Amino acid sequence: MPGPTTPMGVRIAATAHYLPERILSNADLEKVMDTSDDWIVQRTGVRERHVCADAESVREMSTNVLKDLFRQSGVKPAELDLLILATVGSWMSCPSTACQILGDLAADPEFGPTNAGAFDMTVACSGFVYGMNIAHDLIRGGAYKNIAVIGTEHLTQYVEYSTRGRGTAILFGDGAGGAMLSPTGDTSKGLLAQSMRSDGAKWTDLYIPRHDRDFPEGDDHSILPLGIMRMNGRSVFRFAVGTFSDLIGETLEKAGLTADDVDQFVCHQSNVRILEAARERFGIPPEKMAVNIDRVGNTSAASVPILLGELWRDGTIKEGDRVMLVAFGAGLTWSSSLWQL
Ligand code: COA
């Protein structure tokens, strides 16, 4: 048993992801708003996205992912130390969805009870990457062993499928993904560098108002109903093109590596043009920066773990690889996590 101060290596023991069955294509959107498949594909790269059924929720999608993480890692619920759930889409703000998920697990005879710590974190699209960094350091220090980090998003509940809502409705999809992190005696495994940042002055670029009091001064309340996301697409785009690339550069520098030393960049699938800009700046070949935004859209906190799960499952990412996770989102926030697997 590691003592509380024994430094440990950290490994990704399993990944898992979940996508709702229902698919909404660009052709479906053309029927309910003034847009076109061509416009959406050229501007964003999205062709279709998965969306939750009426009764489907962050809680349900995350529970599916957590169960798979247990099955694939061999970790038992009683051996779990902490569940970190990154989401902005919970139906209730109290209690945390993370606690509800563990309650659902306890009621399932295949899994049973756990007294693991559990909390939700609100970092929008950067949430899963923040969570991986935090979980890593808790395990690295030797005080915690098994931590499940899940990023789940149900952003389609915050968009309006109409012409006035098209700025965000075309982008977002629903889904969940996660990783089980565990200690290993091989201390070379784990994070080589990480970053967690924000620029709170830019929160007005992307927000979901619940009350009239939530609006920043000068914003027009009447454009969309309360509860629907407001986004200044051009501003977010400008921010992301610069910050995304800078973040990759800063993380490589911290680790003393170049882009060639990294086997895979698992990037938040926000917009294919933003990814292309970063890829070109560092001369990263397409096969080292996988894209699934065409099939899943922007799934926010679930975006990085869904892609990680797909690449893990098909063998593109394997033991021994160096993998950089990169994300940005509302807040505005941005985060990176460079792993030696
Ligand atoms: N379908 C068709 N036309 C649309 C449209 C849609 N869905 N949305 C906007 N348009 C029109 C606009 O009305 C405008 O027409 P006009 O020139 O006649 O006025 C034109 O297309 C350009 O609009 P604009 O909003 O400037 O588009 P854009 O090139 O900035 O693309 C986004 C919009 C949202 C795709 C782009 O800004 C973007 O991807 N931003 C980043 C968003 C992001 O990543 N958010 C998530 C952060 S985690």
Side-chain angles (χ1 to χ4, degrees), residues 9 13 316 329:
T316 305

Side-chain angles (χ1 to χ4, degrees), residues 22-42 46-49 160-166 169-171:
R22 193 177 151 219
I23 290 177
L24 199 60
S25 69
N26 290 349
D28 295 327
L29 295 182
E30 282 174 354
K31 292 179 194 142
V32 294
M33 63 182 75
D34 180 12
T35 192
S36 69
D37 177 53
D38 269 2
W39 194 97
I40 300 171
V41 172
Q42 275 177 23
V46 183
R47 292 181 188 277
E48 58 186 31
R49 65 288 287 148
E160 186 181 273
Y161 293 104
S162 66
T163 297
R164 67 178 184 174
R166 66 186 179 177
I170 55 158
L171 278 177

Side-chain angles (χ1 to χ4, degrees), residues 66-297:
L66 184 59
K67 287 179 177 179
D68 265 0
L69 289 176
F70 281 127
R71 288 186 191 113
Q72 286 175 40
S73 66
V75 172
K76 305 270 173 287
E79 296 165 340
L80 185 72
D81 290 323
L82 190 62
L83 168 62
I84 301 176
L85 174 65
T87 189
V88 300
S90 294
W91 285 352
M92 286 197 288
S93 54
C94 180
S96 71
T97 302
C99 282
Q100 289 185 298
I101 292 165
L102 295 186
D104 293 342
L105 212 73
D108 183 333
E110 186 189 342
F111 297 96
T114 165
N115 290 124
F119 65 91
D120 297 354
M121 55 189 273
T122 307
V123 200
C125 304
S126 312
F128 176 77
V129 183
Y130 265 58
M132 290 289 276
N133 290 340
I134 293 165
H136 171 276
D137 282 9
L138 290 174
I139 298 172
R140 174 71 85 188
Y144 289 75
K145 292 217 273 185
N146 301 305
I147 303 183
V149 184
I150 297 181
T152 304
E153 218 41 277
H154 181 187
L155 282 191
T156 63
Q157 66 185 316
Y158 304 127
V159 306
E160 186 181 273
Y161 293 104
S162 66
T163 297
R164 67 178 184 174
R166 66 186 179 177
T168 52
I170 55 158
L171 278 177
F172 295 106
D174 301 327
M180 180 70 80
L181 304 188
S182 299
T184 162
D186 180 350
T187 51
S188 71
K189 291 190 186 298
L191 280 186
L192 302 174
Q194 61 149 298
S195 217
M196 296 190 277
R197 298 196 183 278
S198 73
D199 181 354
K202 291 195 170 72
W203 74 265
T204 54
D205 277 350
L206 188 47
Y207 67 98
I208 303 167
R210 301 268 187 210
H211 310 274
D212 275 321
R213 62 175 186 242
D214 295 337
F215 287 93
E217 220 176 295
D219 262 28
D220 183 351
H221 298 209
S222 64
I223 297 170
L224 287 163
L226 289 172
I228 299 297
M229 184 189 298
R230 312 289 179 118
M231 180 176 76
N232 182 340
R234 283 184 197 185
S235 180
V236 174
F237 189 86
R238 268 196 309 275
F239 161 83
V241 165
T243 308
F244 210 68
S245 295
D246 290 349
L247 179 58
I248 291 175
E250 174 192 316
T251 311
L252 289 171
E253 201 178 311
K254 277 185 190 170
L257 298 174
T258 69
D260 287 347
D261 300 320
V262 176
D263 297 291
Q264 191 65 224
F265 293 83
V266 183
C267 298
H268 173 40
Q269 304 289 298
S270 57
N271 181 314
V272 84
R273 291 185 293 151
I274 296 170
L275 299 179
E276 282 298 304
R279 210 169 60 66
E280 278 165 24
R281 176 164 150 194
F282 294 99
I284 299 167
E287 63 274 16
K288 281 191 171 191
M289 193 181 274
V291 169
N292 68 0
I293 193 172
D294 52 325
R295 290 180 285 112
V296 305

